[in-house]
Amino acid sequence: MNTLNETKIIVPAGHTESVARAIFALEEGVFTKIICGAANTNEGHVERLALVYALSGVHVIDVAPSQSIIQSAKTGIKKASELYEKNPEAFSFYKEPVIMVSINAGDDLHFRKAEINYEKCTNCFECIDSCPSKALYSGCHSEGFSPKNLSNDNYKLPSQEGQILRFTQDDRRSQDDNRIQLNKNNCFGCGRCENACLQNAIEFTNFNNSSDIDFEEIKAVEIHTGNNSIEEVKNFLELNVSLLKNIELLSFCVESKRFNPAELQNYVSSLINLVSQKVIIQIDGIPMGATDKHCSSLQAVSAAAVLLENKLDAYIQLSGGTNQFTKKLVNQLGLKISGIAYGTFARKIILSYLDELEDNFSAQLQRIVNITTSLVVN
Ligand code: SF4
Ligand code: SF4
């Protein structure tokens, strides 16, 4: 069989070439999406994620509902196209991906950002290493830091071996540079820091859909159903029907842990019946929960297996916990899914390069694209 790169795609009437390529991949079960993060507002990171994953041949780049973030993804894809034009052999997997905008239809975990409540925070730094996007930092923190390593000499604060330091209000003010900080643009709301914090000092604010999005240009949208009932999703679609009229590729993200197997099948069947076109069902295992462990995608895979029993007229695509082992697991189980979306894991494997990556042709860029390509086409 030809690989996807060698296959000549016939563009169906009404579809742009990149959407047709994505639909073809869904039909073939080889669809791949990269999720930049529904609340990721770091424009530089999104641009570079779009650049390297476009060069790796991904079909869709999923971004936050913000016009500036959409523009960042477009810039990254344009730069990828230019690099490919000049170096076609080095970047032979490049194809123009579709930009998909994630939209919050209600109360969905993906659309939030962490905040530190400094009234509760003891500056223990336990949360720093829990963050997969390096959103938490401090001037005095380094990898492997532990409160046990602190001494009175370091901080001139009362402490004993193993005791969590407690800052007074005055101490906090004088220690501003060393205080825990949160780069909100990098935060995508995963909640790992909340789990790491013994003081309940991590709180969340909603990240709302931006009203400035030019939907005339958008070909793909993902509706995050959160905790919504079918009736609420239906109302959302009816309210936004004019915004969605140009959409060629529609996806519903469904958090699988909300349901038992029968409820999941019913909910997804009802979603499919809401729209006339064949939709993607992004079955979310552990939202934003990927690790590099074999078991990371078990929840998503088992939920997909439940849906596939019913032979639904939709593309079943995994997310939430997906990593480098997911495709192998799917193949071992013989599941006929349509594709896989990679989010947290896809970002984390190149995170250390995202701040500094230059967008000209270089050995470093090729190395990074080799890493991302191994995930996309593995
Ligand atoms: S919610 Fe996740 S991404 Fe945001 S600061 Fe906490 S650990 Fe980092
Ligand atoms: S873990 Fe909690 S108390 Fe410790 S630095 Fe982070 S937010 Fe503050």
Side-chain angles (χ1 to χ4, degrees), residues 32-38 40 49 53 62 110 132 188 192 282 284 287-290 317-323 340-350 375:
T32 314
K33 180 172 89 168
I34 292 305
I35 303 170
C36 294
N40 181 356
L49 282 165
Y53 278 103
D62 188 324
H110 294 86
F188 61 98
R192 286 172 174 82
Q282 173 165 288
D284 205 0
M288 302 167 281
Q317 173 241 287
L318 307 183
S319 76
T322 49
N323 64 11
I340 302 174
Y342 301 97
T344 304
F345 184 78
R347 300 192 295 273
K348 198 167 179 196
I349 56 174
I350 55 167
L375 181 66

PDB file of all heavy atoms in Angstrom, residues 32-38 40 49 53 62 110 132 188 192 282 284 287-290 317-323 340-350 375:
ATOM      1  N   THR A  32      -3.716  12.196  12.250  1.00  0.00           N
ATOM      2  CA  THR A  32      -2.964  12.672  13.413  1.00  0.00           C
ATOM      3  C   THR A  32      -3.225  14.156  13.622  1.00  0.00           C
ATOM      4  O   THR A  32      -3.168  14.942  12.673  1.00  0.00           O
ATOM      5  CB  THR A  32      -1.445  12.482  13.222  1.00  0.00           C
ATOM      6  OG1 THR A  32      -1.208  11.183  12.729  1.00  0.00           O
ATOM      7  CG2 THR A  32      -0.716  12.647  14.537  1.00  0.00           C
ATOM      8  N   LYS A  33      -3.501  14.494  14.858  1.00  0.00           N
ATOM      9  CA  LYS A  33      -3.722  15.903  15.217  1.00  0.00           C
ATOM     10  C   LYS A  33      -2.775  16.277  16.344  1.00  0.00           C
ATOM     11  O   LYS A  33      -2.513  15.467  17.236  1.00  0.00           O
ATOM     12  CB  LYS A  33      -5.182  16.088  15.667  1.00  0.00           C
ATOM     13  CG  LYS A  33      -5.514  17.514  16.062  1.00  0.00           C
ATOM     14  CD  LYS A  33      -7.006  17.703  16.316  1.00  0.00           C
ATOM     15  CE  LYS A  33      -7.369  17.417  17.749  1.00  0.00           C
ATOM     16  NZ  LYS A  33      -8.739  17.855  18.079  1.00  0.00           N
ATOM     17  N   ILE A  34      -2.285  17.502  16.290  1.00  0.00           N
ATOM     18  CA  ILE A  34      -1.488  18.034  17.398  1.00  0.00           C
ATOM     19  C   ILE A  34      -2.316  19.097  18.099  1.00  0.00           C
ATOM     20  O   ILE A  34      -2.858  20.007  17.458  1.00  0.00           O
ATOM     21  CB  ILE A  34      -0.161  18.641  16.881  1.00  0.00           C
ATOM     22  CG1 ILE A  34       0.733  17.543  16.342  1.00  0.00           C
ATOM     23  CG2 ILE A  34       0.553  19.425  17.981  1.00  0.00           C
ATOM     24  CD1 ILE A  34       1.024  16.401  17.293  1.00  0.00           C
ATOM     25  N   ILE A  35      -2.415  18.961  19.411  1.00  0.00           N
ATOM     26  CA  ILE A  35      -3.193  19.915  20.201  1.00  0.00           C
ATOM     27  C   ILE A  35      -2.215  20.886  20.863  1.00  0.00           C
ATOM     28  O   ILE A  35      -1.409  20.497  21.707  1.00  0.00           O
ATOM     29  CB  ILE A  35      -4.021  19.180  21.276  1.00  0.00           C
ATOM     30  CG1 ILE A  35      -4.932  18.128  20.630  1.00  0.00           C
ATOM     31  CG2 ILE A  35      -4.829  20.180  22.090  1.00  0.00           C
ATOM     32  CD1 ILE A  35      -5.607  17.197  21.629  1.00  0.00           C
ATOM     33  N   CYS A  36      -2.298  22.141  20.449  1.00  0.00           N
ATOM     34  CA  CYS A  36      -1.421  23.157  21.068  1.00  0.00           C
ATOM     35  C   CYS A  36      -1.907  23.502  22.469  1.00  0.00           C
ATOM     36  O   CYS A  36      -1.134  24.009  23.289  1.00  0.00           O
ATOM     37  CB  CYS A  36      -1.385  24.417  20.211  1.00  0.00           C
ATOM     38  SG  CYS A  36      -0.620  24.147  18.607  1.00  0.00           S
ATOM     39  N   GLY A  37      -3.170  23.243  22.752  1.00  0.00           N
ATOM     40  CA  GLY A  37      -3.732  23.527  24.072  1.00  0.00           C
ATOM     41  C   GLY A  37      -4.866  24.527  23.945  1.00  0.00           C
ATOM     42  O   GLY A  37      -4.663  25.639  23.451  1.00  0.00           O
ATOM     43  N   ALA A  38      -6.070  24.124  24.383  1.00  0.00           N
ATOM     44  CA  ALA A  38      -7.246  24.992  24.235  1.00  0.00           C
ATOM     45  C   ALA A  38      -7.118  26.274  25.049  1.00  0.00           C
ATOM     46  O   ALA A  38      -7.827  27.245  24.795  1.00  0.00           O
ATOM     47  CB  ALA A  38      -8.507  24.237  24.644  1.00  0.00           C
ATOM     48  N   ASN A  40      -3.801  27.426  25.753  1.00  0.00           N
ATOM     49  CA  ASN A  40      -2.393  27.814  25.581  1.00  0.00           C
ATOM     50  C   ASN A  40      -2.330  29.115  24.790  1.00  0.00           C
ATOM     51  O   ASN A  40      -2.651  29.147  23.608  1.00  0.00           O
ATOM     52  CB  ASN A  40      -1.642  26.697  24.849  1.00  0.00           C
ATOM     53  CG  ASN A  40      -0.167  27.017  24.641  1.00  0.00           C
ATOM     54  OD1 ASN A  40       0.306  28.104  24.975  1.00  0.00           O
ATOM     55  ND2 ASN A  40       0.559  26.067  24.085  1.00  0.00           N
ATOM     56  N   LEU A  49       5.224  25.207  17.452  1.00  0.00           N
ATOM     57  CA  LEU A  49       4.568  23.890  17.395  1.00  0.00           C
ATOM     58  C   LEU A  49       3.985  23.656  16.006  1.00  0.00           C
ATOM     59  O   LEU A  49       4.125  22.568  15.423  1.00  0.00           O
ATOM     60  CB  LEU A  49       3.447  23.810  18.444  1.00  0.00           C
ATOM     61  CG  LEU A  49       3.874  23.567  19.890  1.00  0.00           C
ATOM     62  CD1 LEU A  49       2.730  23.884  20.851  1.00  0.00           C
ATOM     63  CD2 LEU A  49       4.354  22.132  20.093  1.00  0.00           C
ATOM     64  N   TYR A  53       5.426  20.630  13.641  1.00  0.00           N
ATOM     65  CA  TYR A  53       4.495  19.526  13.376  1.00  0.00           C
ATOM     66  C   TYR A  53       3.952  19.579  11.941  1.00  0.00           C
ATOM     67  O   TYR A  53       3.617  18.542  11.370  1.00  0.00           O
ATOM     68  CB  TYR A  53       3.388  19.479  14.431  1.00  0.00           C
ATOM     69  CG  TYR A  53       3.869  18.753  15.683  1.00  0.00           C
ATOM     70  CD1 TYR A  53       4.225  19.446  16.830  1.00  0.00           C
ATOM     71  CD2 TYR A  53       4.024  17.368  15.685  1.00  0.00           C
ATOM     72  CE1 TYR A  53       4.700  18.777  17.965  1.00  0.00           C
ATOM     73  CE2 TYR A  53       4.495  16.692  16.801  1.00  0.00           C
ATOM     74  CZ  TYR A  53       4.833  17.398  17.935  1.00  0.00           C
ATOM     75  OH  TYR A  53       5.313  16.722  19.036  1.00  0.00           O
ATOM     76  N   ASP A  62      -4.558  21.903  16.360  1.00  0.00           N
ATOM     77  CA  ASP A  62      -5.699  22.351  17.165  1.00  0.00           C
ATOM     78  C   ASP A  62      -5.231  23.472  18.094  1.00  0.00           C
ATOM     79  O   ASP A  62      -4.243  23.320  18.812  1.00  0.00           O
ATOM     80  CB  ASP A  62      -6.189  21.136  17.972  1.00  0.00           C
ATOM     81  CG  ASP A  62      -7.484  21.393  18.709  1.00  0.00           C
ATOM     82  OD1 ASP A  62      -7.693  22.515  19.190  1.00  0.00           O
ATOM     83  OD2 ASP A  62      -8.277  20.444  18.831  1.00  0.00           O
ATOM     84  N   HIS A 110     -10.700  22.071  29.794  1.00  0.00           N
ATOM     85  CA  HIS A 110      -9.597  22.524  28.942  1.00  0.00           C
ATOM     86  C   HIS A 110      -9.495  24.045  28.868  1.00  0.00           C
ATOM     87  O   HIS A 110      -8.501  24.566  28.386  1.00  0.00           O
ATOM     88  CB  HIS A 110      -9.770  21.984  27.514  1.00  0.00           C
ATOM     89  CG  HIS A 110      -9.654  20.498  27.420  1.00  0.00           C
ATOM     90  ND1 HIS A 110     -10.717  19.665  27.631  1.00  0.00           N
ATOM     91  CD2 HIS A 110      -8.590  19.711  27.148  1.00  0.00           C
ATOM     92  CE1 HIS A 110     -10.320  18.410  27.482  1.00  0.00           C
ATOM     93  NE2 HIS A 110      -9.031  18.410  27.191  1.00  0.00           N
ATOM     94  N   PRO A 132       3.960  20.533  33.293  1.00  0.00           N
ATOM     95  CA  PRO A 132       4.544  20.030  32.048  1.00  0.00           C
ATOM     96  C   PRO A 132       4.865  21.127  31.037  1.00  0.00           C
ATOM     97  O   PRO A 132       5.455  20.845  30.001  1.00  0.00           O
ATOM     98  CB  PRO A 132       3.463  19.092  31.498  1.00  0.00           C
ATOM     99  CG  PRO A 132       2.190  19.590  32.076  1.00  0.00           C
ATOM    100  CD  PRO A 132       2.521  20.229  33.393  1.00  0.00           C
ATOM    101  N   PHE A 188      -1.965  25.718  30.548  1.00  0.00           N
ATOM    102  CA  PHE A 188      -3.100  25.213  29.769  1.00  0.00           C
ATOM    103  C   PHE A 188      -4.105  24.497  30.658  1.00  0.00           C
ATOM    104  O   PHE A 188      -4.965  23.757  30.182  1.00  0.00           O
ATOM    105  CB  PHE A 188      -2.625  24.325  28.609  1.00  0.00           C
ATOM    106  CG  PHE A 188      -1.863  23.094  29.025  1.00  0.00           C
ATOM    107  CD1 PHE A 188      -2.493  21.869  29.118  1.00  0.00           C
ATOM    108  CD2 PHE A 188      -0.515  23.164  29.316  1.00  0.00           C
ATOM    109  CE1 PHE A 188      -1.800  20.729  29.505  1.00  0.00           C
ATOM    110  CE2 PHE A 188       0.195  22.036  29.697  1.00  0.00           C
ATOM    111  CZ  PHE A 188      -0.457  20.813  29.796  1.00  0.00           C
ATOM    112  N   ARG A 192      -2.133  19.697  37.307  1.00  0.00           N
ATOM    113  CA  ARG A 192      -1.093  18.943  38.023  1.00  0.00           C
ATOM    114  C   ARG A 192      -0.584  19.727  39.233  1.00  0.00           C
ATOM    115  O   ARG A 192      -0.295  19.164  40.281  1.00  0.00           O
ATOM    116  CB  ARG A 192       0.071  18.618  37.087  1.00  0.00           C
ATOM    117  CG  ARG A 192      -0.222  17.514  36.074  1.00  0.00           C
ATOM    118  CD  ARG A 192       0.937  17.423  35.083  1.00  0.00           C
ATOM    119  NE  ARG A 192       0.830  16.312  34.160  1.00  0.00           N
ATOM    120  CZ  ARG A 192       0.100  16.319  33.055  1.00  0.00           C
ATOM    121  NH1 ARG A 192      -0.626  17.377  32.755  1.00  0.00           N
ATOM    122  NH2 ARG A 192       0.075  15.270  32.256  1.00  0.00           N
ATOM    123  N   GLN A 282     -13.798  13.071  19.314  1.00  0.00           N
ATOM    124  CA  GLN A 282     -12.517  13.005  20.032  1.00  0.00           C
ATOM    125  C   GLN A 282     -12.817  12.438  21.410  1.00  0.00           C
ATOM    126  O   GLN A 282     -13.382  13.124  22.265  1.00  0.00           O
ATOM    127  CB  GLN A 282     -11.882  14.387  20.149  1.00  0.00           C
ATOM    128  CG  GLN A 282     -10.636  14.365  21.035  1.00  0.00           C
ATOM    129  CD  GLN A 282      -9.785  15.599  20.883  1.00  0.00           C
ATOM    130  OE1 GLN A 282      -9.133  15.787  19.866  1.00  0.00           O
ATOM    131  NE2 GLN A 282      -9.772  16.452  21.884  1.00  0.00           N
ATOM    132  N   ASP A 284     -11.896  11.572  24.857  1.00  0.00           N
ATOM    133  CA  ASP A 284     -10.861  12.067  25.761  1.00  0.00           C
ATOM    134  C   ASP A 284     -10.720  11.109  26.943  1.00  0.00           C
ATOM    135  O   ASP A 284     -11.693  10.841  27.650  1.00  0.00           O
ATOM    136  CB  ASP A 284     -11.292  13.466  26.251  1.00  0.00           C
ATOM    137  CG  ASP A 284     -10.117  14.323  26.663  1.00  0.00           C
ATOM    138  OD1 ASP A 284      -8.974  13.858  26.573  1.00  0.00           O
ATOM    139  OD2 ASP A 284     -10.359  15.472  27.080  1.00  0.00           O
ATOM    140  N   PRO A 287      -8.115  14.013  30.500  1.00  0.00           N
ATOM    141  CA  PRO A 287      -7.873  15.318  29.872  1.00  0.00           C
ATOM    142  C   PRO A 287      -6.533  15.918  30.296  1.00  0.00           C
ATOM    143  O   PRO A 287      -6.244  16.030  31.488  1.00  0.00           O
ATOM    144  CB  PRO A 287      -9.044  16.175  30.379  1.00  0.00           C
ATOM    145  CG  PRO A 287     -10.099  15.192  30.749  1.00  0.00           C
ATOM    146  CD  PRO A 287      -9.388  13.967  31.230  1.00  0.00           C
ATOM    147  N   MET A 288      -5.717  16.252  29.304  1.00  0.00           N
ATOM    148  CA  MET A 288      -4.408  16.893  29.517  1.00  0.00           C
ATOM    149  C   MET A 288      -3.524  16.053  30.434  1.00  0.00           C
ATOM    150  O   MET A 288      -2.658  16.573  31.130  1.00  0.00           O
ATOM    151  CB  MET A 288      -4.592  18.304  30.105  1.00  0.00           C
ATOM    152  CG  MET A 288      -5.443  19.205  29.242  1.00  0.00           C
ATOM    153  SD  MET A 288      -5.979  20.714  30.072  1.00  0.00           S
ATOM    154  CE  MET A 288      -7.340  20.128  31.091  1.00  0.00           C
ATOM    155  N   GLY A 289      -3.741  14.735  30.429  1.00  0.00           N
ATOM    156  CA  GLY A 289      -3.105  13.890  31.443  1.00  0.00           C
ATOM    157  C   GLY A 289      -2.003  12.988  30.940  1.00  0.00           C
ATOM    158  O   GLY A 289      -1.626  12.039  31.641  1.00  0.00           O
ATOM    159  N   ALA A 290      -1.444  13.244  29.755  1.00  0.00           N
ATOM    160  CA  ALA A 290      -0.453  12.304  29.217  1.00  0.00           C
ATOM    161  C   ALA A 290       0.811  12.257  30.061  1.00  0.00           C
ATOM    162  O   ALA A 290       1.286  13.270  30.562  1.00  0.00           O
ATOM    163  CB  ALA A 290      -0.093  12.694  27.785  1.00  0.00           C
ATOM    164  N   GLN A 317     -11.622   9.186  17.301  1.00  0.00           N
ATOM    165  CA  GLN A 317     -10.226   9.625  17.410  1.00  0.00           C
ATOM    166  C   GLN A 317      -9.866   9.817  18.886  1.00  0.00           C
ATOM    167  O   GLN A 317     -10.638  10.383  19.653  1.00  0.00           O
ATOM    168  CB  GLN A 317     -10.061  10.922  16.608  1.00  0.00           C
ATOM    169  CG  GLN A 317      -8.734  11.611  16.749  1.00  0.00           C
ATOM    170  CD  GLN A 317      -8.900  12.999  17.317  1.00  0.00           C
ATOM    171  OE1 GLN A 317      -9.368  13.899  16.649  1.00  0.00           O
ATOM    172  NE2 GLN A 317      -8.531  13.185  18.579  1.00  0.00           N
ATOM    173  N   LEU A 318      -8.715   9.315  19.275  1.00  0.00           N
ATOM    174  CA  LEU A 318      -8.306   9.331  20.685  1.00  0.00           C
ATOM    175  C   LEU A 318      -7.642  10.642  21.088  1.00  0.00           C
ATOM    176  O   LEU A 318      -6.994  11.295  20.270  1.00  0.00           O
ATOM    177  CB  LEU A 318      -7.286   8.212  20.954  1.00  0.00           C
ATOM    178  CG  LEU A 318      -7.623   6.788  20.557  1.00  0.00           C
ATOM    179  CD1 LEU A 318      -6.490   5.861  20.981  1.00  0.00           C
ATOM    180  CD2 LEU A 318      -8.915   6.355  21.191  1.00  0.00           C
ATOM    181  N   SER A 319      -7.758  10.963  22.374  1.00  0.00           N
ATOM    182  CA  SER A 319      -6.960  12.047  22.971  1.00  0.00           C
ATOM    183  C   SER A 319      -6.961  11.843  24.482  1.00  0.00           C
ATOM    184  O   SER A 319      -7.618  10.944  25.000  1.00  0.00           O
ATOM    185  CB  SER A 319      -7.536  13.424  22.632  1.00  0.00           C
ATOM    186  OG  SER A 319      -8.682  13.673  23.415  1.00  0.00           O
ATOM    187  N   GLY A 320      -6.213  12.694  25.193  1.00  0.00           N
ATOM    188  CA  GLY A 320      -6.231  12.644  26.658  1.00  0.00           C
ATOM    189  C   GLY A 320      -5.440  11.479  27.213  1.00  0.00           C
ATOM    190  O   GLY A 320      -6.013  10.443  27.558  1.00  0.00           O
ATOM    191  N   GLY A 321      -4.115  11.645  27.297  1.00  0.00           N
ATOM    192  CA  GLY A 321      -3.248  10.572  27.777  1.00  0.00           C
ATOM    193  C   GLY A 321      -2.457   9.921  26.662  1.00  0.00           C
ATOM    194  O   GLY A 321      -1.624   9.045  26.907  1.00  0.00           O
ATOM    195  N   THR A 322      -2.687  10.330  25.433  1.00  0.00           N
ATOM    196  CA  THR A 322      -2.010   9.698  24.291  1.00  0.00           C
ATOM    197  C   THR A 322      -0.516  10.042  24.288  1.00  0.00           C
ATOM    198  O   THR A 322      -0.122  11.162  24.604  1.00  0.00           O
ATOM    199  CB  THR A 322      -2.647  10.166  22.973  1.00  0.00           C
ATOM    200  OG1 THR A 322      -2.744  11.590  23.010  1.00  0.00           O
ATOM    201  CG2 THR A 322      -4.029   9.586  22.803  1.00  0.00           C
ATOM    202  N   ASN A 323       0.273   9.048  23.903  1.00  0.00           N
ATOM    203  CA  ASN A 323       1.730   9.247  23.869  1.00  0.00           C
ATOM    204  C   ASN A 323       2.350   8.310  22.832  1.00  0.00           C
ATOM    205  O   ASN A 323       1.636   7.780  21.963  1.00  0.00           O
ATOM    206  CB  ASN A 323       2.335   9.042  25.266  1.00  0.00           C
ATOM    207  CG  ASN A 323       2.161   7.615  25.778  1.00  0.00           C
ATOM    208  OD1 ASN A 323       1.776   6.710  25.024  1.00  0.00           O
ATOM    209  ND2 ASN A 323       2.446   7.411  27.044  1.00  0.00           N
ATOM    210  N   ILE A 340      -5.423   9.658  16.031  1.00  0.00           N
ATOM    211  CA  ILE A 340      -4.976   9.986  17.387  1.00  0.00           C
ATOM    212  C   ILE A 340      -4.605  11.470  17.436  1.00  0.00           C
ATOM    213  O   ILE A 340      -3.959  11.982  16.518  1.00  0.00           O
ATOM    214  CB  ILE A 340      -3.744   9.137  17.781  1.00  0.00           C
ATOM    215  CG1 ILE A 340      -4.073   7.638  17.695  1.00  0.00           C
ATOM    216  CG2 ILE A 340      -3.251   9.497  19.180  1.00  0.00           C
ATOM    217  CD1 ILE A 340      -2.884   6.725  17.923  1.00  0.00           C
ATOM    218  N   ALA A 341      -5.021  12.120  18.519  1.00  0.00           N
ATOM    219  CA  ALA A 341      -4.560  13.490  18.785  1.00  0.00           C
ATOM    220  C   ALA A 341      -3.566  13.438  19.938  1.00  0.00           C
ATOM    221  O   ALA A 341      -3.791  12.741  20.926  1.00  0.00           O
ATOM    222  CB  ALA A 341      -5.735  14.384  19.151  1.00  0.00           C
ATOM    223  N   TYR A 342      -2.481  14.167  19.781  1.00  0.00           N
ATOM    224  CA  TYR A 342      -1.462  14.244  20.826  1.00  0.00           C
ATOM    225  C   TYR A 342      -1.400  15.681  21.325  1.00  0.00           C
ATOM    226  O   TYR A 342      -1.284  16.614  20.528  1.00  0.00           O
ATOM    227  CB  TYR A 342      -0.086  13.856  20.276  1.00  0.00           C
ATOM    228  CG  TYR A 342      -0.018  12.465  19.702  1.00  0.00           C
ATOM    229  CD1 TYR A 342      -0.150  12.254  18.329  1.00  0.00           C
ATOM    230  CD2 TYR A 342       0.191  11.359  20.524  1.00  0.00           C
ATOM    231  CE1 TYR A 342      -0.080  10.983  17.787  1.00  0.00           C
ATOM    232  CE2 TYR A 342       0.266  10.075  19.992  1.00  0.00           C
ATOM    233  CZ  TYR A 342       0.129   9.896  18.623  1.00  0.00           C
ATOM    234  OH  TYR A 342       0.197   8.636  18.088  1.00  0.00           O
ATOM    235  N   GLY A 343      -1.471  15.855  22.643  1.00  0.00           N
ATOM    236  CA  GLY A 343      -1.426  17.200  23.209  1.00  0.00           C
ATOM    237  C   GLY A 343      -0.237  17.376  24.129  1.00  0.00           C
ATOM    238  O   GLY A 343       0.872  17.681  23.691  1.00  0.00           O
ATOM    239  N   THR A 344      -0.480  17.128  25.419  1.00  0.00           N
ATOM    240  CA  THR A 344       0.564  17.344  26.423  1.00  0.00           C
ATOM    241  C   THR A 344       1.871  16.656  26.031  1.00  0.00           C
ATOM    242  O   THR A 344       2.954  17.248  26.119  1.00  0.00           O
ATOM    243  CB  THR A 344       0.085  16.800  27.786  1.00  0.00           C
ATOM    244  OG1 THR A 344      -1.156  17.422  28.107  1.00  0.00           O
ATOM    245  CG2 THR A 344       1.088  17.092  28.888  1.00  0.00           C
ATOM    246  N   PHE A 345       1.781  15.405  25.585  1.00  0.00           N
ATOM    247  CA  PHE A 345       3.003  14.663  25.259  1.00  0.00           C
ATOM    248  C   PHE A 345       3.718  15.284  24.055  1.00  0.00           C
ATOM    249  O   PHE A 345       4.944  15.436  24.056  1.00  0.00           O
ATOM    250  CB  PHE A 345       2.662  13.192  24.979  1.00  0.00           C
ATOM    251  CG  PHE A 345       3.881  12.352  24.739  1.00  0.00           C
ATOM    252  CD1 PHE A 345       4.659  11.914  25.798  1.00  0.00           C
ATOM    253  CD2 PHE A 345       4.269  12.019  23.450  1.00  0.00           C
ATOM    254  CE1 PHE A 345       5.808  11.165  25.578  1.00  0.00           C
ATOM    255  CE2 PHE A 345       5.414  11.272  23.219  1.00  0.00           C
ATOM    256  CZ  PHE A 345       6.182  10.839  24.289  1.00  0.00           C
ATOM    257  N   ALA A 346       2.945  15.683  23.043  1.00  0.00           N
ATOM    258  CA  ALA A 346       3.544  16.263  21.829  1.00  0.00           C
ATOM    259  C   ALA A 346       4.281  17.557  22.136  1.00  0.00           C
ATOM    260  O   ALA A 346       5.311  17.865  21.527  1.00  0.00           O
ATOM    261  CB  ALA A 346       2.454  16.520  20.790  1.00  0.00           C
ATOM    262  N   ARG A 347       3.740  18.312  23.076  1.00  0.00           N
ATOM    263  CA  ARG A 347       4.395  19.580  23.431  1.00  0.00           C
ATOM    264  C   ARG A 347       5.613  19.326  24.301  1.00  0.00           C
ATOM    265  O   ARG A 347       6.655  19.949  24.152  1.00  0.00           O
ATOM    266  CB  ARG A 347       3.407  20.496  24.165  1.00  0.00           C
ATOM    267  CG  ARG A 347       2.180  20.852  23.346  1.00  0.00           C
ATOM    268  CD  ARG A 347       1.374  21.962  23.973  1.00  0.00           C
ATOM    269  NE  ARG A 347       0.774  21.629  25.241  1.00  0.00           N
ATOM    270  CZ  ARG A 347      -0.417  21.045  25.384  1.00  0.00           C
ATOM    271  NH1 ARG A 347      -1.120  20.703  24.319  1.00  0.00           N
ATOM    272  NH2 ARG A 347      -0.908  20.799  26.578  1.00  0.00           N
ATOM    273  N   LYS A 348       5.462  18.371  25.231  1.00  0.00           N
ATOM    274  CA  LYS A 348       6.529  18.167  26.209  1.00  0.00           C
ATOM    275  C   LYS A 348       7.815  17.643  25.567  1.00  0.00           C
ATOM    276  O   LYS A 348       8.914  18.002  25.988  1.00  0.00           O
ATOM    277  CB  LYS A 348       6.046  17.206  27.303  1.00  0.00           C
ATOM    278  CG  LYS A 348       6.904  17.301  28.534  1.00  0.00           C
ATOM    279  CD  LYS A 348       6.326  16.624  29.735  1.00  0.00           C
ATOM    280  CE  LYS A 348       7.307  16.783  30.897  1.00  0.00           C
ATOM    281  NZ  LYS A 348       7.041  15.891  31.982  1.00  0.00           N
ATOM    282  N   ILE A 349       7.698  16.812  24.537  1.00  0.00           N
ATOM    283  CA  ILE A 349       8.925  16.227  23.972  1.00  0.00           C
ATOM    284  C   ILE A 349       9.800  17.270  23.273  1.00  0.00           C
ATOM    285  O   ILE A 349      10.973  17.014  23.016  1.00  0.00           O
ATOM    286  CB  ILE A 349       8.635  15.040  23.013  1.00  0.00           C
ATOM    287  CG1 ILE A 349       7.691  15.448  21.884  1.00  0.00           C
ATOM    288  CG2 ILE A 349       8.119  13.840  23.771  1.00  0.00           C
ATOM    289  CD1 ILE A 349       7.484  14.345  20.837  1.00  0.00           C
ATOM    290  N   ILE A 350       9.235  18.441  22.990  1.00  0.00           N
ATOM    291  CA  ILE A 350      10.075  19.489  22.372  1.00  0.00           C
ATOM    292  C   ILE A 350      10.017  20.804  23.154  1.00  0.00           C
ATOM    293  O   ILE A 350      10.456  21.843  22.662  1.00  0.00           O
ATOM    294  CB  ILE A 350       9.693  19.733  20.894  1.00  0.00           C
ATOM    295  CG1 ILE A 350       8.208  20.071  20.753  1.00  0.00           C
ATOM    296  CG2 ILE A 350      10.066  18.552  20.031  1.00  0.00           C
ATOM    297  CD1 ILE A 350       7.857  20.620  19.374  1.00  0.00           C
ATOM    298  N   LEU A 375       6.749  10.676  16.234  1.00  0.00           N
ATOM    299  CA  LEU A 375       5.459  10.559  16.919  1.00  0.00           C
ATOM    300  C   LEU A 375       4.313  10.536  15.899  1.00  0.00           C
ATOM    301  O   LEU A 375       3.388   9.731  16.001  1.00  0.00           O
ATOM    302  CB  LEU A 375       5.270  11.743  17.880  1.00  0.00           C
ATOM    303  CG  LEU A 375       3.974  11.749  18.681  1.00  0.00           C
ATOM    304  CD1 LEU A 375       3.933  10.582  19.660  1.00  0.00           C
ATOM    305  CD2 LEU A 375       3.802  13.071  19.435  1.00  0.00           C
TER     306      LEU A 375
END
